Amino acid sequence: MRAGAMTGQARVRRLRRRLARADLRAVPESRRAVRELLGHWGEPGQAETAELLTSELVTNALVHTERPAVLTVAAGPRRLRVEVRDFVRRRPRSRVPVPDEGTGGRGLMLVESLADAWGVKGLGFGKAVWFELDSGLDSGLDSGRS
């Protein structure tokens, strides 16, 4: 994890992790890293939402591509951006989950419903799936709660 960087007047906390191919231990490890990075970021519940959505993107990248991935997080005073890059061009598709047929197919639905913005960015080799959350705070990284 890299230390926070100063950007203009606001402090931006950053995280970058390489995720090994098909290593699902990266899911809880990524959640824990995001939790540690954010501390008490944003309004109550925002950091927990970020953890949940991060785990969905990491899981999707590792399960559906069977390739390594890279997680990057940038948390500013008012906005958080999480991006998971993989090395497969195939774009993710939202699926409507079928009741009583397991828990699969809900990841992008959660991202769509909980993120303030999200998308897929094509890259030269692969893609990045990202989401953003607003902190809900007017100023300061965490209103003095850290």
Side-chain angles (χ1 to χ4, degrees), residues 8 25-27 36 43 46 59 72 75 83 86 100 105 121 123:
R25 291 176 300 185
V27 177
E36 290 171 5
E43 289 292 323
Q46 286 297 80
T59 299
T72 58
E83 185 174 289
D86 64 52
D100 301 327
K121 176 174 60 174
L123 303 170

Side-chain angles (χ1 to χ4, degrees), residues 84-107:
V84 178
R85 178 182 182 176
D86 64 52
F87 301 94
V88 173
R89 289 186 183 184
R90 184 178 62 248
R91 296 173 77 82
R93 294 178 305 168
S94 289
R95 299 183 314 182
V96 177
V98 178
D100 301 327
E101 287 194 15
T103 59
R106 291 173 173 78

